Amino acid sequence: MWNQIRKSFRKLLCPESADCLSHRNIQVASESVHDEKLAPQWMTCDACVEENKGCKCDQDTQDLKSAVVNEADVEHHTDQANSSFAHSVINMIGMLIGLGQLSTPYALENGGWVSAFLLVGLGVICAYTSHLLGKCLAKSPKSRSYTDIGQHAFGSNGRVLAATFIYLEIFMALVSYTISLHDNLITVFAGTQLRLPIWAKLYKSQLLTAMGVLVALPSLWLRDLSSISFLSSGGILMSIVIFTSVACTAIFQVVKANHSIPALHLHKIPAISGLYIFSYAGHIVFPDLYKSMKDPSKFTMVSIVSFASVSALYASLAFMGARLFGPEVSSQITLSMPRHHIITKIALWATVLTPMTKYALEFAPFAIQLEHNLPNSISSRTKTVIRGAVGSFLLLVILALALSVPYFEHVLSLTGSLVSVSICIVFPCAFYIKLSWAQISKPVLILNVILLAFGLLLGVFGTISSSKLLITSLERAHHT
């Protein structure tokens, strides 16, 4: 049985075999990194993924379904394509706003006010690449997810590469969330004495973080997708509370905005570019949004409105934070706010609760795919145990990494430069060039090649810079 289980793990990165689980499950994985809608988009399999039911799609069923695939696709689109323009805009904005908002003031202060042009420019580029994803989907109506586009463009290698980057982004983002949980819990419980005999060797901050993760651990065993969706909605609410808290701090002059922002720190641009690009990382779920629209031809306008709104929000939050706190601004804006004030306490608790709403949502697509790939000879109850055990183990690994590398800004910057820039810029341009090679005009080809090269350069230099900063911080901590 364990040999069969090990084989199941190998299928996770390339779920292109005849399975009944929609490839959209992989794509929905990124929704919680950036606060999105969830549950209704997972229930796309005709014969499985129902609550407490194992998969019943056998080979005969697959043969039958493949014989009528075109008709099924049409019916599926008719059933699912019910989102209006306004609804789609709200959903896309919800997808984009997330963990990145905490770091934009820090990034602007370190990069200088000129770097705001980079922030807005990346927003424009990401809006354009989301448009490219829509173009790719229009050329391949059967594609329903980001990984489907990758396969249509570059075959199985494209799917494997896209899936690998998706899972890597999820993992690294969860490490960042756990570091954020660690940092904000320390501030919330500052001055509180806490020690348990069984964990006497742990520092208070480590103990608090471990307790927070353990509180969230049971959520990984959830199979009821509506419950997981409820947790996702809580995450969106927490993001709104954080932004409102910072705005109130400025509006009511709890802290006076009298700090000047430097013009430009050119040597810091590669590192902060990772923070900026991570703030726009939502492309993994855009294919699903495209497919859910009543009129997919309006997807480009949805992208323009959504990215313009989010860019304006990020820029305003960045300038507010930098003006309020100046060089003392923290990598997470909530840690810079005056601790005695009620607004700060609300923001801190919102930041603490946010990661705890994310774990189940992030792990759900991975867990569902894992459970589906397990052999049919294993009972449904055993599959649930394996699924929960694997999720729990991965969460404990994430906890260990977060406690070992508690440098939020460097990990987030590394995530943006190493992974997000590829998903948001490089891959969409490469997919579009490959799929449209015969029809693409020379100016458009040049534009996409330039953007692809820009993304690669940004990723390489950003990864090198953020890695150096992370290693330097680790060495400094080791010596002290």
Side-chain angles (χ1 to χ4, degrees):
M1 182 182 75
W2 293 110
N3 288 332
Q4 292 175 315
I5 294 173
R6 282 195 294 270
K7 290 180 181 178
S8 300
F9 277 98
R10 298 193 196 107
K11 298 179 184 178
L12 284 173
L13 289 180
C14 189
E16 61 188 38
S17 58
D19 57 41
C20 62
L21 181 63
S22 169
H23 298 314
R24 295 168 68 191
N25 286 339
I26 298 177
Q27 164 229 358
V28 173
S30 71
E31 294 188 1
S32 87
V33 180
H34 311 288
D35 303 302
E36 299 97 289
K37 59 176 183 166
L38 171 71
Q41 299 153 1
W42 285 344
M43 300 180 181
T44 56
C45 178
D46 295 327
C48 69
V49 198
E50 295 182 21
E51 183 182 353
N52 298 324
K53 290 185 180 180
C55 183
K56 298 180 180 178
C57 297
D58 55 20
Q59 188 60 46
D60 293 335
T61 304
Q62 292 303 322
D63 293 339
L64 178 61
K65 291 181 72 175
S66 62
V68 295
V69 65
N70 291 330
E71 181 180 352
D73 284 343
V74 172
E75 291 178 356
H76 181 272
H77 180 77
T78 303
D79 292 339
Q80 297 295 325
N82 55 9
S83 292
S84 65
F85 178 87
H87 189 195
S88 299
V89 169
I90 292 172
N91 284 333
M92 184 173 284
I93 291 175
M95 293 172 188
L96 294 171
I97 298 175
L99 192 63
Q101 69 175 337
L102 296 175
S103 62
T104 50
Y106 170 86
L108 186 69
E109 171 63 30
N110 280 269
W113 62 262
V114 174
S115 71
F117 290 102
L118 176 62
L119 173 64
V120 176
L122 286 172
V124 174
I125 292 173
C126 289
Y128 174 71
T129 54
S130 69
H131 159 75
L132 294 183
L133 290 178
K135 287 280 192 180
C136 292
L137 289 167
K139 289 180 176 296
S140 177
K142 292 182 181 180
S143 296
R144 310 208 64 85
S145 70
Y146 196 96
T147 51
D148 286 344
I149 298 174
Q151 181 170 2
H152 188 217
F154 296 103
S156 59
N157 290 333
R159 174 177 288 279
V160 171
L161 186 63
T164 300
F165 272 74
I166 288 171
Y167 285 127
L168 185 58
E169 184 180 53
I170 293 171
F171 185 83
M172 294 180 70
L174 280 175
V175 172
S176 299
Y177 270 115
T178 308
I179 296 173
S180 175
L181 175 66
H182 169 269
D183 295 343
N184 285 273
L185 273 175
I186 296 173
T187 307
V188 168
F189 290 99
T192 304
Q193 297 296 324
L194 181 64
R195 182 171 293 276
L196 296 178
I198 57 174
W199 288 340
K201 294 183 179 181
L202 291 178
Y203 293 108
K204 184 181 75 172
S205 61
Q206 296 173 326
L207 182 57
L208 286 170
T209 308
M211 292 173 65
V213 170
L214 289 175
V215 168
L217 194 61
S219 66
L220 299 184
W221 293 72
L222 288 175
R223 298 190 70 203
D224 184 354
L225 297 179
S226 62
S227 298
I228 299 175
S229 178
F230 175 77
L231 291 175
S232 173
S233 301
I236 296 172
L237 178 62
M238 295 302 103
S239 294
I240 296 173
V241 169
I242 292 168
F243 176 79
T244 305
S245 300
V246 177
C248 288
T249 301
I251 293 171
F252 296 109
Q253 295 187 341
V254 176
V255 177
K256 292 186 177 180
N258 54 9
H259 290 279
S260 61
I261 304 173
L264 179 65
H265 291 151
L266 190 60
H267 64 285
K268 294 183 179 180
I269 293 298
I272 68 165
S273 65
L275 297 175
Y276 284 154
I277 193 66
F278 182 86
S279 302
Y280 295 113
H283 288 59
I284 300 171
V285 294
F286 289 170
D288 181 77
L289 183 61
Y290 177 93
K291 291 294 184 178
S292 70
M293 292 184 64
K294 292 179 181 178
D295 185 1
S297 65
K298 295 181 179 179
F299 179 77
T300 298
M301 185 55 62
V302 168
S303 298
I304 293 172
V305 173
S306 301
F307 275 93
S309 302
V310 171
S311 296
L313 183 146
Y314 283 152
S316 60
L317 183 61
F319 277 101
M320 273 195 299
R323 289 279 293 169
L324 285 171
F325 306 109
E328 303 301 320
V329 67
S330 173
S331 59
Q332 299 175 69
I333 186 62
T334 51
L335 301 180
S336 298
M337 299 168 68
R339 299 183 182 182
H340 63 279
H341 205 279
I342 184 63
I343 295 176
T344 303
K345 294 179 180 179
I346 293 173
L348 286 171
W349 273 111
T351 311
V352 166
L353 292 175
T354 297
M356 300 175 71
T357 66
K358 301 298 181 183
Y359 295 125
L361 177 60
E362 289 293 340
F363 277 117
F366 176 86
I368 291 173
Q369 188 65 39
L370 169 63
E371 185 174 348
H372 169 70
N373 286 333
L374 291 173
N376 292 330
S377 58
I378 299 177
S379 67
S380 177
R381 188 171 185 177
T382 304
K383 288 182 179 181
T384 302
V385 172
I386 294 172
R387 164 181 165 166
V390 170
S392 301
F393 172 75
L394 289 176
L395 186 55
L396 294 177
V397 171
I398 287 170
L399 172 62
L401 281 175
L403 294 179
S404 303
V405 192
Y407 305 105
F408 177 82
E409 66 276 22
H410 302 325
V411 174
L412 200 66
S413 177
L414 182 61
T415 304
S417 298
L418 181 63
V419 185
S420 300
V421 71
S422 297
I423 293 176
C424 296
I425 300 177
V426 177
F427 289 170
C429 290
F431 293 162
Y432 180 71
I433 291 173
K434 182 65 167 62
L435 293 175
S436 305
W437 182 259
Q439 300 86 20
I440 193 170
S441 64
K442 189 173 182 180
V444 175
L445 175 62
I446 293 174
L447 173 63
N448 282 275
V449 170
I450 291 174
L451 290 179
L452 194 153
F454 172 74
L456 289 173
L457 288 174
L458 204 65
V460 170
F461 285 107
T463 300
I464 293 172
S465 179
S466 55
S467 298
K468 286 182 177 179
L469 290 172
L470 182 59
I471 292 172
T472 301
S473 299
L474 289 171
E475 290 177 345
R476 188 182 301 117
H478 177 72
H479 290 314
T480 55

